[in-house]
Amino acid sequence: MIRLVIVDDEPMVLAHLRTVLTSAGDIDIVGQAQDGAEAVEAAGRFRPDVMLMDLRMPGVDGLTAIERIVKLPNPPSVVALTTFDTDSYVLKALRAGASGFLLKSTPPEDLIGLVRVAADGHTVLSKEAARRMVTASAGEHERSQEARERTSDLTDRELDMLVCLGEGMSNAAIAAKLHLSEATVKSYVSRMLTKLGCANRTQAGLLAHEAGLAG
């Protein structure tokens, strides 16, 4: 069972998501919250696999909550919830450690599948969305320079892995492309995330784009 916590300050949104997701036999909604402070408490209390996190909430907002949650031991995958995929908060959420984002208008059948993807540790972010996010930050010269500096100490193999993450590839796809076992890829990715100080694959993939390594 996938343990899920939903965070949104709108009761109707919470009710809708609960109705949709409880219809899946493998998703257990173990808790919900209506602001960022409650979300952080729920993450520690319920130890979910996935959290769906609204970004714009009164009090402690979703961005602050994400930053706090990803620093917890064995943190859940946090997926940002947004009304529009051009929301400037989305890019900030990815930088804060979110593993992707979902539109609140996502069709029910897709929503269930994407929660499963997040639970498996994969990025919940299309290539098109990733490109839009990077375009939004294209003018930030200082951040691009910082990204290049952070990746400068990577080995050639680690750079290959980072480019693959920037393209949104799974471990299986990376293994096939680089002619390695999935176990080897998993080990490389884990060490690389630690080396880069990235919370997850999505953050590393965004870094690859910012450093100009992935198109």
Side-chain angles (χ1 to χ4, degrees), residues 55-177:
L55 296 180
R56 298 175 180 271
M57 297 181 288
V60 178
D61 65 12
L63 292 176
T64 302
I66 292 170
E67 291 175 345
R68 295 176 182 175
I69 289 169
V70 299
K71 293 177 182 177
L72 296 173
N74 300 312
S77 293
V78 184
V79 179
L81 283 173
T82 181
T83 304
F84 303 104
D85 62 2
T86 55
D87 193 327
S88 63
Y89 272 58
V90 172
L91 182 57
K92 295 177 182 178
L94 297 179
R95 288 174 176 162
S99 59
F101 76 89
L102 291 173
L103 293 176
K104 293 184 181 181
S105 59
T106 299
E109 61 274 16
D110 293 340
L111 180 62
I112 292 170
L114 290 169
V115 167
R116 291 171 178 154
V117 168
D120 285 337
H122 297 304
T123 299
V124 183
L125 186 68
S126 70
K127 290 183 179 179
E128 292 74 16
R131 291 192 184 98
R132 285 199 297 273
M133 293 302 101
V134 174
T135 299
S137 64
E140 299 182 31
H141 174 75
E142 290 184 5
R143 184 171 291 277
S144 297
Q145 180 62 33
E146 178 190 354
R148 288 191 289 272
E149 291 175 356
R150 288 175 63 185
T151 58
S152 63
D153 291 334
L154 296 181
T155 66
D156 288 343
R157 180 60 80 187
E158 288 170 338
L159 284 171
D160 290 340
M161 296 284 177
L162 186 60
V163 171
C164 289
L165 293 184
E167 295 174 355
M169 297 174 66
S170 66
N171 284 350
I174 296 173
K177 180 177 181 178

Side-chain angles (χ1 to χ4, degrees), residues 15-34:
H16 168 70
L17 292 173
R18 180 175 285 276
T19 298
V20 170
L21 294 167
T22 52
S23 68
D26 59 343
I27 297 176
D28 180 17
I29 301 177
V30 295
Q32 64 182 46
Q34 292 186 280

Side-chain angles (χ1 to χ4, degrees), residues 33-51:
Q34 292 186 280
D35 64 43
E38 289 182 2
V40 177
E41 190 276 333
R45 178 182 177 187
F46 297 112
R47 307 302 302 169
D49 301 303
V50 179
M51 297 185 76

